[in-house]
Structures are given as structure tokens and as C-alpha cells.
Amino acid sequence: MKKYSAILLSLILVACGGANEQNETEETVEENLVDTVQVDTLVEVAEEEMAYNYFEDYAQFETKEEIYEAFGEENLKDATEWYAEGTVQLECTTLKNPDNGHEIKFVFDEENPKKLSSIEARFYTSAGDSENPVTQKIETKCGTYTGMTFNELRDWNEEEFEFSGFGWDFGGGIMPSTGSKIEQCKVMMMLDYDYNDSDQELFTSLLGDQIFKSDNENAVKAPIFIGFLTYYLAQ
């Protein structure tokens, strides 16, 4: 009887041990599955972050080296350009994103040319010219975009604003009211004018170093649009 009791006890212990091992195996598998899901999720998030759907997405870099690592030398071109009415020369790098066609300019700090200072985008790209313009639509996270018409911008802002006349260094600059959508947007927007428009009288009425209200009778009829975006990185 003792012999059978010992055998039975052994079987129970083996069974329990097997159950414990099975439970441990199941827990390990579950942990591995959780880890895999977490890794896959992180990869998906990383891919979303690197999609560059919005203008501000290009401001995630801090140095020129990071930009070259992200896009490759074959898609970038270095140059220098004059700023501040031709008084400051800054190093720049222009990107032609092979994935979505965006043309973005990275502008670097005057004191530290390897440090990113701002990014820029234009409605008209360098691929075209005055006779055969090539345009691009780049959206901001605020809801505006290059090529957005003047009246679309007015509707989006939900209140009137002021802007400077065209044909000089600060032409098309926007002066929004405090608290408006334009003022709250971190992207600086400048207006441009379709200079190929045939209505020269209308064009002339909006020229020069003067300030106009967005409800100006001539302005609302003119071929005005968002032509230039700038985003300044926090220093």
C-alpha cells in the first residue's frame, strides 16, 4: 500500500510540475507576444513620424548631419543665400524629397552653420521658371498650405487681417490680430501674387510699401495666395 501511495504521489508531483512548466511556457509566449506587439507599434509610430506629411515635420532635425543621414546626399544640395535685406549670408541645404516631391530649404545658424535655424517652403519650386512654373502643395498642421488662395485664408482665419503691398522685400507680409488663427500658428506665412495675371490695374493698386486690410475691394478680387512658409526652430 505504501508502495502504491509513493507512486501516486510521484505522479501527482510530475503532473503538477508539468502544469507549472506549461503555465511558465504560456506566460513566456504571452510576454514575447506583448514585446512583439510593442516593437511593431513603435515601428509603426516611427514610420508615421518619418512620413513628412506636414511642413513642420521637417523641423525635427537639429543639425545638418542629421538631415543628410535622413535623406541622403543624392537628394540634398548645399548653397549660401543672403537674408535680412541682403545684409546676412547664411548656409542653406535644399531637399527634394524623393518620396513625396516636397522641396524644402533648411537654413542654418549664422554663428554655427551646422545647427539648423529654420525651414522654408515655396509654392513655386526651383524646377520651373516664369514661363513654365512648377508648384507644390505643402500643408501645415494649422490647416493652411502653399497655394491656398487669399479668400480661403480669410475664411479659415475667421477674421480679417492686414498685409503689406507687393513688389518689395517685405511684400505680402501678414499682420494678424492677436489671438487669431494666423497669429497662433507657429508657421509664418507670406502672400504672393500671380504676376502673370492680365489685370495690370488691379495689380498696380496693391503694389508698394503700404498696408492693406484683407477685406480691401481690390484684394478680394486679386489672384493672391500663400506663396511662402517659414518655421523658426526654438533657439
Side-chain angles (χ1 to χ4, degrees), residues 168-181:
W168 64 298
D169 287 342
F170 297 105
I174 299 175
M175 290 147 277
S177 58
T178 302
S180 65
K181 285 186 176 181

Side-chain angles (χ1 to χ4, degrees), residues 5 18 28-29 39 101 105 116 150 202 227:
S5 298
T28 302
V29 170
V39 170
K105 182 178 291 182
L116 185 62
F150 183 69
L202 184 62

Side-chain angles (χ1 to χ4, degrees), residues 9-224:
L9 179 60
S10 298
L11 291 173
I12 292 172
L13 291 174
V14 169
C16 291
N20 290 335
E21 290 178 1
Q22 183 177 356
N23 290 336
E24 291 176 359
T25 302
E26 290 176 353
E27 290 176 359
T28 302
V29 170
E30 289 178 359
E31 289 176 357
N32 289 338
L33 286 174
V34 171
D35 291 341
T36 301
V37 170
Q38 289 176 341
V39 170
D40 290 343
T41 302
L42 289 173
V43 170
E44 289 176 2
V45 170
E47 288 177 350
E48 288 180 4
E49 291 176 348
M50 300 302 287
Y52 305 106
N53 294 318
Y54 297 98
F55 178 58
E56 295 95 321
D57 293 339
Y58 293 94
Q60 63 182 283
F61 306 102
E62 295 183 0
T63 65
K64 180 181 289 190
E65 182 180 1
E66 291 176 355
I67 296 168
Y68 268 83
E69 288 177 356
F71 298 108
E73 185 176 353
E74 67 278 8
N75 299 308
L76 299 163
K77 183 178 180 180
D78 293 335
T80 56
E81 292 193 16
W82 291 97
Y83 286 81
E85 296 184 90
T87 60
V88 177
Q89 191 174 39
L90 302 176
E91 291 192 17
C92 309
T93 296
T94 299
L95 163 71
K96 291 187 177 180
N97 192 329
D99 295 326
N100 55 24
H102 288 170
E103 183 175 284
I104 303 291
K105 182 178 291 182
F106 299 96
V107 183
F108 299 96
D109 185 72
E110 182 181 9
E111 301 296 329
N112 183 1
K114 293 183 179 181
K115 181 181 180 182
L116 185 62
S117 177
S118 64
I119 59 173
E120 301 175 353
R122 295 181 181 275
F123 179 55
Y124 293 114
T125 74
S126 61
D129 53 39
S130 58
E131 294 184 358
N132 300 289
V134 176
T135 63
Q136 63 178 347
K137 179 181 179 180
I138 298 183
E139 299 180 64
T140 72
K141 293 181 179 180
C142 305
T144 59
Y145 56 89
T146 55
M148 187 178 195
T149 68
F150 183 69
N151 289 315
E152 286 175 334
L153 179 62
R154 292 176 63 214
D155 291 341
W156 171 84
N157 192 52
E158 299 178 342
E159 60 180 282
E160 303 299 341
F161 54 88
E162 294 182 334
F163 68 97
S164 59
F166 300 97
W168 64 298
D169 287 342
F170 297 105
I174 299 175
M175 290 147 277
S177 58
T178 302
S180 65
K181 285 186 176 181
I182 295 177
E183 195 266 341
Q184 292 177 348
C185 185
K186 294 181 180 180
V187 177
M188 188 190 79
M189 297 167 279
M190 292 189 70
L191 302 172
D192 202 351
Y193 194 101
D194 183 359
Y195 296 100
N196 293 319
D197 188 86
S198 59
D199 194 337
Q200 291 300 313
E201 184 177 345
L202 184 62
F203 169 59
T204 302
S205 70
L206 297 170
L207 279 176
D209 181 4
Q210 51 184 322
I211 304 299
F212 298 95
K213 287 289 296 293
S214 57
D215 59 356
N216 177 280
E217 181 180 356
N218 289 329
V220 298
K221 295 186 294 184
I224 302 171

